[in-house]
Amino acid sequence: MNISAQDRIIGDFDLFAGEVFNESEIPGMAVAITDREHILYAKGFGVRSLEQPDPVTPGTVFLINSMSKAFTSAVIGVLVDKGRLSWNDTIISILPGFALNDTNATREITVGDLLEHNSGLWSYDGDLLFWMGLKPEEIVHQMRYLEMERPFRSGYGYNNLHYVVVSEVINRTTGSPLNRTLHDLIFTPLGMQNTSTGFDFLSSAAKTRGGYAVHHVKTDSGYVPVPMEKEFLCGEYSEVGAGGISSNVIDMAKWLRFWLNDGTISGARILKNETVHEIFRPANLIASGPGFNFTYAKGWVVKCDPMLPHPVIWHNGETSGMSSYNGFIPEDGIGIVVLTNAGENGVADFIGDTFMFMISNPSDYHEYTNISALGDDIRPSPPVSPYPESVAGIREECNYLTGSYQNNYYGTMNITNNSGTFIAELGPRPLRLNMTPINSTASLFRFMPQIQGVGPDGMLSGVSGLDGRAETVQVEGLTSGEHPPVVFTRIR
């Protein structure tokens, strides 16, 4: 593509991105486009926080969510190149105490299987233990109690805990915590000075020259900021290897250039060429249709589409109040990163996908930039709970639930009556859930997070024994919607 055509596309893209941002009503966004050598476009939109409306700039730091997974696979790649690991090493050969609820899977599952989401676990199952205050190594131990959705290696099932296990593999192999290894092997060689892990960005002035973006969630009154405190966001920032890296679009452009140059940066090779190809090798089919398919590789998704002459390598991410996208086309030597400080929206994906279509169809892309038919795709309604509202005036009938209950994976749940307010507590942190009855017999209860969209929203039901006390409780909402309810049994 000649330079003038590229400049024209980027000019049209700028107008398109601004229109999408204005229509979406999200608080803030940053976008960067890069080729193999330098940044072609970098711009901030909106504000870092609706409470303190400092502008977003290309230097503003955002949580990048599940785009962190590619950093974990890159670290594994470096260790493979150094002869410290193999993609086919079994997990139990490195973490002897690891187990899944399947003997064959426990014995055979490899580092590569986990990076490709090939365990058979339920999608998105088990994340809540981070909110409950458990450490990564404790969560890895508890995974033996998770139910399997399908047989081992029988299909794709996206689960953040796969990358938590791989993070522990890295810790054991290097003798250092993952955050230090990321800095030593990736951030520092790539010059990603404004990239950090966990809550480090809050305390390091060097990493926040452009400020940091505050999480925002959609409510009935529009987007509202989430306090940047561990109490509300510990789940997102604790899963470093799965989704706990923060960065800005300037650093993320360096990250994309690293891949566009086949694992080198400024002429220095970080990953062998064959290792890069293995990381991008399509491995686990996500979805397919006439002429297109999405396949998970190792921390990346490979997209083939009849409207795209070349595959797109990409990944997105979303947590409570942040959503993101990064992707690139190796053959075209160009990539894009979009970071937003709002959850529950399709803005980052839509902007990233559209740019890929524009680059791939330089003479006929205007139909892809028409946002008039998008509607709720970029202007979503507040999340609507599938559970009914509470019923007033029957709290005195709820005492049959009080006591302690046990589940193999989630551990102990204590239900107490605090002056008429019923609270369920889980984990050492603990995670507190306020319970309210939602039927006249007090057999069904609703629990909600302190902030809408931040934490579990679900339903609890009790089954009474002969003495009138609940012997078991079933809880919906601790896992993904397709997973069966979680059962806790009273501790006698």
Side-chain angles (χ1 to χ4, degrees):
M1 184 186 304
N2 60 54
I3 294 177
S4 60
Q6 182 174 275
D7 289 345
R8 172 178 52 81
I9 291 172
I10 290 176
D12 287 345
F13 170 82
D14 180 53
L15 296 174
F16 160 77
E19 186 178 1
V20 172
F21 174 75
N22 291 331
E23 288 288 328
S24 71
E25 301 176 359
I26 65 174
M29 174 177 80
V31 183
I33 297 168
T34 187
D35 63 13
R36 291 189 176 93
E37 301 299 327
H38 50 77
I39 289 177
L40 306 175
Y41 173 93
K43 188 172 181 178
F45 300 78
V47 296
R48 305 199 307 249
S49 170
L50 290 174
E51 288 186 340
Q52 297 177 332
D54 297 314
V56 170
T57 72
T60 300
V61 172
F62 294 74
L63 181 69
I64 68 169
N65 314 300
S66 286
M67 284 156 37
S68 305
K69 291 180 171 66
F71 287 83
T72 301
S73 68
V75 169
I76 292 292
V78 173
L79 296 176
V80 168
D81 287 350
K82 292 177 179 291
R84 306 282 300 278
L85 279 176
S86 162
W87 304 109
N88 295 320
D89 283 345
T90 61
I91 300 302
I92 60 171
S93 69
I94 304 164
L95 304 174
F98 171 80
L100 292 173
N101 192 11
D102 178 287
T103 303
N104 181 53
T106 299
R107 182 177 62 250
E108 301 292 337
I109 197 164
T110 66
V111 173
D113 285 320
L114 291 177
L115 293 173
E116 296 162 6
H117 294 300
N118 210 11
S119 71
L121 289 171
W122 283 84
S123 294
Y124 300 99
D125 198 12
D127 280 2
L128 198 65
L129 265 62
F130 276 104
W131 293 82
M132 292 162 51
L134 274 74
K135 298 176 181 178
E137 60 269 23
E138 295 172 322
I139 296 173
V140 170
H141 178 272
Q142 290 300 100
M143 286 176 65
R144 68 195 63 214
Y145 301 117
L146 286 174
E147 299 173 12
M148 310 294 277
E149 180 185 17
R150 59 175 65 89
F152 172 49
R153 289 182 182 157
S154 65
Y156 171 78
Y158 189 94
N159 192 300
N160 289 310
L161 298 189
H162 294 152
Y163 279 73
V164 175
V165 176
V166 174
S167 299
E168 289 300 298
V169 166
I170 294 170
N171 295 346
R172 181 69 59 88
T173 302
T174 63
S176 298
L178 178 60
N179 58 350
R180 184 181 305 166
T181 304
L182 281 165
H183 279 90
D184 292 346
L185 299 185
I186 306 294
F187 300 163
T188 298
L190 270 59
M192 300 178 71
Q193 298 178 351
N194 297 291
T195 303
S196 60
T197 58
F199 283 93
D200 287 354
F201 69 94
L202 288 174
S203 58
S204 175
K207 292 184 175 67
T208 57
R209 284 188 289 270
Y212 61 83
V214 171
H215 292 239
H216 292 78
V217 293
K218 192 70 176 287
T219 69
D220 294 334
S221 57
Y223 283 106
V224 298
V226 178
M228 298 295 285
E229 301 171 6
K230 292 182 180 181
E231 179 180 1
F232 302 104
L233 299 172
C234 63
E236 278 85 345
Y237 288 90
S238 298
E239 298 182 68
V240 171
I245 294 176
S246 296
S247 189
N248 60 25
V249 296
I250 302 299
D251 274 10
M252 290 301 294
K254 297 175 183 177
W255 172 244
L256 292 178
R257 287 202 295 276
F258 166 67
W259 295 109
L260 288 169
N261 287 290
D262 292 321
T264 66
I265 193 77
S266 301
R269 180 158 292 282
I270 308 299
L271 286 174
K272 294 179 180 178
N273 190 262
E274 58 265 31
T275 301
V276 173
H277 290 167
E278 175 61 26
I279 288 173
F280 294 152
R281 179 181 60 83
N284 209 350
L285 184 66
I286 301 171
S288 64
F292 80 91
N293 63 70
F294 293 83
T295 310
Y296 209 88
K298 290 178 171 66
W300 293 95
V301 180
V302 181
K303 174 184 178 180
C304 296
D305 189 293
M307 306 248 189
L308 300 167
H310 306 295
V312 173
I313 299 173
W314 66 280
H315 208 291
N316 60 2
E318 184 168 30
T319 50
S320 298
M322 294 270 182
S323 57
S324 53
Y325 173 100
N326 69 160
F328 59 98
I329 303 175
E331 290 81 0
D332 290 330
I334 200 164
I336 184 172
V337 57
V338 185
L339 305 176
T340 80
N341 59 352
E344 303 294 335
N345 71 81
V347 174
D349 284 334
F350 179 55
I351 289 176
D353 283 342
T354 300
F355 178 73
M356 295 306 181
F357 282 113
M358 294 173 74
I359 286 296
S360 300
N361 299 272
S363 61
D364 183 24
Y365 58 74
H366 293 286
E367 63 179 291
Y368 302 117
T369 62
N370 180 3
I371 69 170
S372 60
L374 276 176
D376 290 343
D377 287 346
I378 60 171
R379 293 184 297 273
S381 300
V384 177
S385 174
Y387 307 110
E389 296 299 326
S390 61
V391 175
I394 59 170
R395 294 183 182 273
E396 66 277 2
E397 300 180 26
C398 303
N399 282 317
Y400 79 103
L401 274 178
T402 58
S404 297
Y405 301 82
Q406 181 74 23
N407 173 270
N408 284 338
Y409 181 73
Y410 291 94
T412 302
M413 175 174 65
N414 296 309
I415 298 179
T416 59
N417 179 351
N418 185 10
S419 301
T421 299
F422 286 80
I423 299 173
E425 294 185 334
L426 288 158
R429 183 173 157 253
L431 173 66
R432 291 184 174 89
L433 304 173
N434 291 331
M435 298 167 45
T436 54
I438 56 177
N439 65 353
S440 59
T441 60
S443 60
L444 290 175
F445 293 80
R446 169 86 180 277
F447 59 81
M448 297 179 64
Q450 297 179 58
I451 298 176
Q452 185 178 6
V454 182
D457 176 1
M459 187 168 69
L460 181 149
S461 59
V463 178
S464 297
L466 294 176
D467 61 359
R469 295 196 300 168
E471 290 296 315
T472 62
V473 293
Q474 295 190 47
V475 186
E476 299 179 29
L478 298 184
T479 62
S480 62
E482 297 178 354
H483 192 287
V486 177
V487 178
F488 291 76
T489 303
R490 182 182 288 275
I491 299 172
R492 290 291 184 180

